[in-house]
Amino acid sequence: RGLKVDERMRVVGAEDVYAIGDAALSGFPPTAQVAAQQGKHVGRAIRDGRDSEFVYRHAGSLCCLGSDNGIAQLASSSSSSSYF
């Protein structure tokens, strides 16, 4: 289903190879939000030549409940979340 990666998004058993998003078995949910953050992380690691642990920051979730309805869970700076 994907390539096993370490905490720095490097493919386990391969040298200088990264995997992100759906291609990575990282323990994070397979969402676009996670993949975008992983992509930035790996891009910066390659550009700067510094490997660091990937830290996922959940920005919230959205769900469409029909043509005129939806729900959003927005992450906040505190430990609680808000629903709209």
Side-chain angles (χ1 to χ4, degrees), residues 21-37:
D22 293 348
L25 287 177
S26 63
F28 296 104
T31 64
Q33 186 178 162
V34 174
Q37 290 181 31

Side-chain angles (χ1 to χ4, degrees), residues 2-5 8-11 17-21 23-26 38 42:
L3 302 168
K4 185 172 176 149
V5 295
R8 299 172 191 272
M9 304 310 301
R10 296 177 300 193
V11 175
V17 177
Y18 293 88
I20 62 169
L25 287 177
S26 63
Q38 289 172 336
V42 169

Side-chain angles (χ1 to χ4, degrees), residues 26-84:
S26 63
F28 296 104
T31 64
Q33 186 178 162
V34 174
Q37 290 181 31
Q38 289 172 336
K40 284 184 181 182
H41 175 81
V42 169
R44 289 177 180 143
I46 292 169
R47 179 193 68 196
D48 300 339
R50 287 184 286 157
D51 251 348
S52 61
E53 185 173 333
F54 171 72
V55 178
Y56 171 60
R57 290 176 176 78
H58 185 66
S61 300
L62 300 172
C63 179
C64 178
L65 300 173
S67 61
D68 295 327
N69 294 301
I71 187 168
Q73 178 187 21
L74 306 176
S76 64
S77 57
S78 66
S79 60
S80 64
S81 296
S82 300
Y83 287 93
F84 295 97

